[in-house]
Amino acid sequence: APGQVGGLVLLGGAPANCFPNCQPAWEPGTAASFGGPNTAAAREDGSGELTFVQVRYAGSAAVPGRELSAFTFAGVGHDTELEHLQAFHGADDGFEWHGGTARLRNAVVTCPGDDGFAWSDGWTGKLQFAVVEMRGCAGSNHGFELSNSLINPNAAPRSRGTVANVTVWGNSQLATSDAVHIHGGAAGNFYNLLLVDSPRSCVQLQGAETQTIAQTPGLLTAQGWRTHCPVDASDGSGVTAGFTAGWFNAPGANNAVLSSNPLRPNSVLPNGEAPQADLPDGDEVPGFSDWFESADYVGAFESDRAEDNWMRGWARSFQP
């Protein structure tokens, strides 16, 4: 059951905006620390290789009230190989980044006890091909829960992940759940997300600092999204009324609201071919093409064909 084990934690020396005083929130007062200066050498920090790994039933708390995520990457650099990882039925987040530059491909979050993906403390890594499947799980909250720093929303380096091809099936049973919730001065660049069934909104921006970031060209962008939620964009506290919807509908963003759910019944796979949208290339977005794979579709899967299901054969099924 969720919370019967702790979780998998990697501590590295890549940049974090809490450095040099980064201490694990889940185990304060210990000798453990993470993070490094914002230098090229630190960004390339490596913590080895983690591929085809499941963490099931995580969330046991080292300190009461501070549950562990299934996967915690704190100050982990981009020379770490992270592919084909699943967080299954945990009591807290599926994947959580505290700073670092780690890159993750082919990730599955199944029935999290809180958020699917969370970042803070200056994470500037990359994520492509990922699924968050909540659909009514107890405790499941946001697909993405993103902040820069809970202490200083303008701490540097600023959290600014680059994300592409993610499917979020929200928790229709939790009225305060968003597919993407951005606050605390976080930045980020998001491409080709498929967001369905989050009851409060598909995306909410919260806080005056976050609105300022969203008004700064290039820092916080949404492009090629397809959404199917009761409310597609909502304003959190501190955000001007209507601002999030205007941000979502920005000229050239190519975001669209779908008239029907694009997923197959009882599945995170698309119902046939996925909605179409091209990813940018490196000429349009410098650095985008140095790691991301080409994809001209929205969400985690190109179609419902067996050969396009990269979860097949290794990821555990939903099993509520």
Side-chain angles (χ1 to χ4, degrees), residues 192-253:
N192 295 19
L193 270 57
L194 182 60
L195 312 173
V196 304
D197 277 2
S198 289
R200 185 164 69 181
S201 66
C202 276
V203 58
Q204 180 175 102
L205 304 184
Q206 179 182 341
E209 299 91 351
T210 305
Q211 179 169 330
T212 298
I213 294 303
Q215 291 171 319
T216 305
L219 282 187
L220 181 57
T221 62
Q223 181 175 325
W225 291 20
R226 300 294 181 267
T227 62
H228 183 69
C229 299
V231 175
D232 293 286
S234 67
D235 302 308
S237 59
V239 172
T240 304
F243 178 82
T244 306
W247 173 82
F248 175 80
N249 293 306

Side-chain angles (χ1 to χ4, degrees), residues 163-212:
V163 176
N165 298 103
V166 180
T167 297
V168 176
W169 182 349
N171 182 359
S172 60
Q173 305 303 309
L174 183 62
T176 57
S177 176
D178 309 301
V180 180
H181 183 71
I182 305 174
H183 64 105
N189 304 102
F190 302 86
Y191 304 91
N192 295 19
L193 270 57
L194 182 60
L195 312 173
V196 304
D197 277 2
S198 289
R200 185 164 69 181
S201 66
C202 276
V203 58
Q204 180 175 102
L205 304 184
Q206 179 182 341
E209 299 91 351
T210 305
Q211 179 169 330
T212 298

Side-chain angles (χ1 to χ4, degrees), residues 271-297:
N271 190 10
E273 299 291 330
Q276 299 296 292
D278 288 328
L279 292 176
D281 60 32
D283 294 333
E284 298 169 341
V285 180
F288 186 88
S289 62
D290 64 353
W291 178 83
F292 285 91
E293 295 181 2
S294 176
D296 60 358
Y297 54 90

Side-chain angles (χ1 to χ4, degrees), residues 60-219:
S60 178
V63 175
R66 300 189 181 188
E67 295 82 3
L68 278 165
S69 299
F71 293 87
T72 300
F73 303 128
V76 174
H78 65 62
D79 277 4
T80 309
E81 183 177 355
L82 303 170
E83 292 191 5
H84 294 91
L85 307 180
Q86 182 180 24
F88 184 86
H89 281 255
D92 198 57
D93 299 337
F95 292 82
E96 186 167 10
W97 290 280
H98 294 274
T101 59
R103 302 166 177 173
L104 172 60
R105 183 181 284 119
N106 300 113
V108 182
V109 181
T110 305
C111 203
D114 193 6
D115 307 311
F117 296 97
W119 72 55
S120 62
D121 299 319
W123 182 66
T124 57
K126 300 179 180 181
L127 171 68
Q128 187 179 25
F129 304 127
V131 171
V132 180
E133 185 176 11
M134 295 187 280
R135 49 165 158 165
C137 293
S140 288
N141 196 358
H142 306 301
F144 286 86
E145 173 73 16
L146 312 177
S147 70
N148 181 44
S149 167
L150 298 179
I151 300 172
N152 175 9
N154 291 309
R158 186 178 301 278
S159 297
R160 185 183 175 183
T162 308
V163 176
N165 298 103
V166 180
T167 297
V168 176
W169 182 349
N171 182 359
S172 60
Q173 305 303 309
L174 183 62
T176 57
S177 176
D178 309 301
V180 180
H181 183 71
I182 305 174
H183 64 105
N189 304 102
F190 302 86
Y191 304 91
N192 295 19
L193 270 57
L194 182 60
L195 312 173
V196 304
D197 277 2
S198 289
R200 185 164 69 181
S201 66
C202 276
V203 58
Q204 180 175 102
L205 304 184
Q206 179 182 341
E209 299 91 351
T210 305
Q211 179 169 330
T212 298
I213 294 303
Q215 291 171 319
T216 305
L219 282 187

